[in-house]
Amino acid sequence: MSAQSATAQNLSFVLEGIHRVKFEDRPVPELKGPHDVLVNVKFTGICGSDVHYWEHGSIGQFVVKDPMVLGHESSGIVSRVGSSVTGLKVGDRVALEPGVPCRRCEPCKSGKYNLCEKMAFAATPPYDGTLASYYILPEDFCHKVPDSITLQEAALMEPLGVAVHIVKQADVKPGQSVVVFGAGPVGLLCCAVAKAYGASKVIAVDIQEPRLKFAASYAATSTYEPFKASPLDNAKRIIEENDLGSGADVAIDASGAEPSVHTGIHVVRAGGTYVQGGMGRSEITFPIMAACTKELNVKGSFRYGSGDYKLAVSLVASGKVNVKDLITATVKFEDAERAFQEVKAGKGIKTLIAGIES
C-alpha cells in the first residue's frame, strides 16, 4: 500500500459494494471549465452518510450501482486554477463545499441552491466523492480559510455548514431557549451555533451518557438523558428541569429518531419553532395535533445554502465556535477502511482521514 501511494497520481478510496472497498489510482482530473479549481485534498472527515453507503450500499433512492469514491467533508490546497479564476491562487488553503448546483432551475434561481433539482453532490450516486488525492470544484465552492484555521479544522466546515443552516432555519434569536436532540457532530455543532447566535439556554438531549458529558463540556448549558416514558412526559421533564416556562422557543432534531421528533414537538412552546435536521426512517408517526394546536413553525433543513459556509468559516476564525475539540482521531489514508469500522462502532466524535503526502 505504501509503495502504491508513493507512486500513485490520484489514489482514491472507492466503494464497490456493501463492505467492499478498494484503493484505486485514477487519473488526475482535468479542469472542465475556466472557473474550475483543482484541489489537493489534505483531510476528509467521515460522515454518517459515508458509513451508511459502505454498510448498506444505498440511502433512500440513491443506490450505488457503479464504483464510487467516498467522502465529502474535505479541505485541501489549490494546485491548479482555471483561466477565469480570480478569487483563488495556487497554494491557497480551502474548505470544500461538495455540492455543485445547476444554477438554472427554479430553486437555484430563487436562492435555494441546496434544493437544486440536478445537484451534483460528492459521494452521492452517481457522483464521486473527495476521498482522493485530487478533486475539482468551481472556485465559488472552494472557501478560502485564514491562517488561524488549520486544514484539519477546515474539513469540519461541512458539518458546521449543516449546523449553520439548521440554526438559520430555526431563526434563533438572542436570549432564546433551544433544545437540540442528538449529540453527534451536527447536534453538537447546532448547540455551538445556537450559543453563538445568543441563545441563553441550550439543552442537549441524547441516549448516550458519554455524548452528553462531552456536550456539557462543549457548548450545551445543560443536558438531558431521556427515561423510559412517553415523549410527552420526557418533554415535561425537560421543561421543568430547565425552567422553560411554557416550553422551549426552539427545538432542533439532529438525530432522526422518532421518539426525539415526538419529544421535540411537545417540548416547544405555543408559537415556537421546530426544525428537522436529522434523517431517520422515510416515514414516521407524527404528533400532528400538538403541532397544529400550538401553531408551531415546523421546518425541514437540508445541507447548506448561500452564505452558510462563509458564516461557518467566520464563526471558527472569530473563536465563537470551536471545531477542534470535535476531532478525536486522524488516520492515514491507507487506514481508511479501519476508520470506517471505528466510526460504525461509535468510537469518537469526528474521525479525519489524512490525504496522501505529496
Side-chain angles (χ1 to χ4, degrees):
M1 176 61 208
S2 57
Q4 182 187 16
S5 62
T7 58
Q9 284 188 300
N10 185 30
L11 198 64
S12 306
F13 187 61
V14 179
L15 178 68
E16 293 186 295
I18 295 173
H19 288 169
R20 289 193 297 116
V21 291
K22 67 177 180 179
F23 293 99
E24 179 181 312
D25 189 18
R26 296 185 169 193
V28 175
E30 295 292 330
L31 299 180
K32 298 176 188 137
H35 294 283
D36 282 349
V37 171
L38 180 69
V39 178
N40 179 204
V41 180
K42 291 300 183 183
F43 292 97
T44 300
I46 301 177
C47 174
S49 66
D50 294 316
V51 175
H52 201 280
Y53 280 122
W54 171 71
E55 186 82 3
H56 301 285
S58 64
I59 296 179
Q61 75 269 31
F62 298 105
V63 180
V64 179
K65 297 177 181 177
D66 300 304
M68 179 184 78
V69 179
L70 289 165
H72 63 272
E73 301 180 0
S74 292
S75 64
I77 298 174
V78 174
S79 64
R80 194 182 308 158
V81 299
S83 59
S84 297
V85 171
T86 58
L88 293 170
K89 63 183 186 303
V90 172
D92 281 345
R93 302 154 66 255
V94 294
L96 306 185
E97 184 176 345
V100 181
C102 73
R103 307 176 194 261
R104 293 176 178 84
C105 66
E106 190 57 39
C108 283
K109 300 277 276 187
S110 66
K112 291 187 174 288
Y113 69 74
N114 56 313
L115 304 181
C116 175
E117 298 165 358
K118 297 180 180 179
M119 175 69 78
F121 197 85
T124 297
Y127 303 104
D128 284 321
T130 59
L131 264 172
S133 298
Y134 293 95
Y135 192 77
I136 281 182
L137 274 174
E139 70 166 315
D140 51 326
F141 288 88
C142 294
H143 301 269
K144 190 174 178 180
V145 295
D147 292 340
S148 61
I149 296 178
T150 68
L151 282 172
Q152 289 95 324
E153 292 170 311
L156 269 75
M157 292 306 106
E158 199 277 345
L160 180 53
V162 171
V164 163
H165 193 72
I166 290 171
V167 174
K168 276 186 178 180
Q169 288 290 87
D171 194 24
V172 172
K173 293 181 173 61
Q176 287 191 323
S177 55
V178 180
V179 182
V180 178
F181 293 85
V186 170
L188 291 166
L189 288 167
C190 282
C191 290
V193 176
K195 209 169 184 181
Y197 266 55
S200 58
K201 293 181 180 179
V202 180
I203 301 111
V205 181
D206 203 287
I207 58 173
Q208 295 185 37
E209 194 273 335
R211 288 193 169 189
L212 291 179
K213 190 175 180 181
F214 181 87
S217 68
Y218 180 62
T221 59
S222 63
T223 63
Y224 181 81
E225 185 175 354
F227 67 109
K228 291 185 178 179
S230 70
L232 186 57
D233 286 338
N234 272 300
K236 286 179 179 177
R237 185 176 283 194
I238 293 171
I239 291 169
E240 289 168 3
E241 288 185 4
N242 294 279
D243 193 23
L244 297 179
S246 60
D249 296 303
V250 172
I252 290 168
D253 179 63
S255 73
E258 186 170 333
S260 295
V261 174
H262 286 226
T263 308
I265 293 293
H266 290 305
V267 85
V268 178
R269 63 168 172 80
T273 298
Y274 174 89
V275 178
Q276 187 63 44
M279 290 188 182
R281 290 189 290 117
S282 58
E283 293 187 9
I284 63 169
T285 60
F286 183 78
I288 192 167
M289 184 68 76
C292 187
T293 57
K294 289 200 284 186
E295 204 167 274
L296 299 184
N297 301 298
V298 178
K299 299 181 180 180
S301 186
F302 187 55
R303 294 175 179 158
Y304 22 74
S306 181
D308 293 338
Y309 255 71
K310 183 178 179 181
L311 180 54
V313 172
S314 175
L315 287 170
V316 175
S318 65
K320 291 180 180 176
V321 170
N322 173 1
V323 295
K324 185 179 180 180
D325 287 355
L326 300 186
I327 303 170
T328 46
T330 301
V331 304
K332 294 180 179 179
F333 195 85
E334 51 260 42
D335 294 327
E337 186 172 11
R338 177 172 60 82
F340 270 71
Q341 293 166 348
E342 291 182 355
V343 171
K344 176 65 174 66
K347 295 183 181 179
I349 296 170
K350 180 58 67 175
T351 298
L352 302 183
I353 298 172
I356 297 296
E357 289 295 325
S358 55

